[in-house]
Amino acid sequence: MLSFDIRGRRALCRLAMLAAVGLAAATLHAADLHGDPLPAGALTRLGTVRFRAPSASVAYTADGKLLAAGGSDNKIRLLDPATGKIVRELAGHQARTYQPPAQPKSPFDLLVSSVGEGNVTSVAFSPDGKVLASGGWDDMVRLWDVKTGEQLRVIFAHKAMVATVAFSSDGKYLASRGGLDGIVRLWNPATGAELRKFEGLSKVNPWRFNRDTALAFAPDGKTLAVGDAKVLHFFDPATGKETGKLDGHLSTLCVAYSADGKTLASGGIDGHDKHSLRLWDVEGAKELRRCELPKD
């Protein structure tokens, strides 16, 4: 009886060891529901590791096959939208360079610390998807080869922060908007040369949560719409002349053209706890519709 118990216990121990080895091997090669590998020892995962890049700005290529995410760690990730997996990482943007005077008795210092060392504030693909433009807190606009990840060009663009970058539809112009200097600049993306600049815009404190830094090219590339305090400006990129203006939001946060270029949408702040989305007839220079947005 004793001999049987010993043999039985040994057999049970061997079975337990084999089961443990099998479980460890299975765990080592285990994957979650999306097919992504699990860390050693994990049996399952709730959620996903995809699209987990620390993102402060995003942009799609025109064909929707690639997504760029500018990070709060000053890196850029190129992701496959279909799988959420990172295709390539671009590193070059530096930490925040501008150091404002300390205001220890003001909430301003809390805003400064909230952005830490800065981030990649804006990203935009060229129309053909071959070049990515990015702006950050290091005063620079950077141009990247999307296929190789190589940094093609570095342009000293604005003071403190490059708030927005945008390509024209033909790829001939790259526009950038400063966060502190109140200037929009047009660049030749092929050479990095400054073509012209638009001054006299409101100077925006880059630590504000709401910034008047909106800009967008019309689909035909012949007009650049620029949001400003209480005004929407329209410029001709070829001549640098202002071709029109509209009375807009107290603070214009974003602008976008319709595909045919006949309608412009703008979103912004109209007063304390007042926000709206507005549609504009570009040719007729008049507001078509206004949608008041909820406070929350």
Side-chain angles (χ1 to χ4, degrees), residues 18 83 87 97 120 169 177 275:
L18 289 172
T83 66
V87 176
T97 54
V120 180
S169 57
R177 179 79 179 264
H275 306 78

Side-chain angles (χ1 to χ4, degrees), residues 158-213:
H158 298 279
K159 181 181 180 181
M161 180 185 71
V162 180
T164 313
V165 291
F167 277 98
S168 60
S169 57
D170 57 9
K172 293 182 179 179
Y173 299 110
L174 173 68
S176 66
R177 179 79 179 264
L180 189 65
D181 55 18
I183 297 174
V184 170
R185 286 186 161 91
L186 286 184
W187 311 92
N188 180 339
T191 64
E194 182 179 324
L195 301 174
R196 56 189 49 88
K197 62 182 177 181
F198 308 110
E199 300 182 274
L201 303 171
S202 57
K203 295 183 178 181
V204 178
N205 182 337
W207 285 275
R208 285 180 58 194
F209 295 111
N210 301 308
R211 306 176 180 131
D212 303 311
T213 56

